[in-house]
Amino acid sequence: MTVRLATPDDAEAVAEMLARLADETGDGARFASTPETIRKHGFGPDALFETLIGERNGQPAGVAVFVRHFSTTRGQPGVYVQDLWTSPAARGAGLGAALLAAVAGHARLHWGAAYLALTTHGHNDRARSFYARFGFVAHPEDVPMTLDGMAFDALQAGAERAA
């Protein structure tokens, strides 16, 4: 198994793996990333995220999508793993752990990250057990919240009117 940074040529494989993750977590109906959106937003000087690909026998078998993060509480930069997925055939072989380690190493080297954060689906006991093995802890006082769709548009429009 190997882990490497994705290139724009990997956009199809990245989108396919993320679609499989979305299906497995119940987000398939909401999943909207395409190879084009991966290529547009994930590469180049203004990339909004970075991607590592885990390969098994030269074929994509896992993916980690991550972004820079900063904690004002810690006063330090970190890394937020948006998505981590390994193919069912690769599970239990250490690829997920290798991807997480590579994310941590990349983030420490490139922007001095001192921590790694992520979110799991509440129903994904297997993922929570996997992360707990590394020492990840849930903070029950932290509740992830999202604003999107028409509510996001309305908030943004309010900012434009106030400006």
Side-chain angles (χ1 to χ4, degrees):
M1 288 187 289
T2 60
V3 175
R4 64 175 176 80
L5 276 172
T7 69
D9 291 338
D10 294 312
E12 287 82 7
V14 170
E16 180 182 322
M17 289 186 284
L18 293 175
R20 291 182 66 189
L21 169 63
D23 286 342
E24 289 178 14
T25 59
D27 287 336
R30 296 185 322 152
F31 184 75
S33 287
T34 65
E36 292 75 26
T37 62
I38 298 295
R39 215 175 272 110
K40 177 181 178 181
H41 299 294
F43 299 99
D46 296 323
L48 298 175
F49 61 89
E50 295 186 64
T51 305
L52 291 171
I53 292 183
E55 294 179 326
R56 187 174 186 198
N57 301 321
Q59 296 300 312
V63 65
V65 175
F66 57 98
V67 296
R68 293 175 185 223
H69 197 261
F70 188 82
S71 169
T72 56
T73 302
R74 291 178 182 90
Q76 295 180 317
V79 60
Y80 184 85
V81 175
Q82 179 65 41
D83 296 299
L84 178 69
W85 180 83
T86 60
S87 69
R91 292 178 189 159
L95 184 56
L99 283 163
L100 275 182
V103 167
H106 179 86
R108 182 176 295 269
L109 176 68
H110 290 279
W111 62 85
Y115 67 92
L116 190 152
L118 50 78
T119 302
T120 63
H121 283 79
H123 58 63
N124 196 341
D125 294 333
R126 186 172 181 191
R128 285 198 315 278
S129 294
F130 171 77
Y131 295 124
R133 288 192 347 234
F134 299 99
F136 282 87
V137 294
H139 295 280
E141 65 277 4
D142 294 338
V143 178
M145 299 178 74
T146 304
L147 181 71
D148 62 6
M150 292 186 338
F152 178 83
D153 294 343
L155 180 65
Q156 182 271 326
E160 285 181 356
R161 284 192 301 273

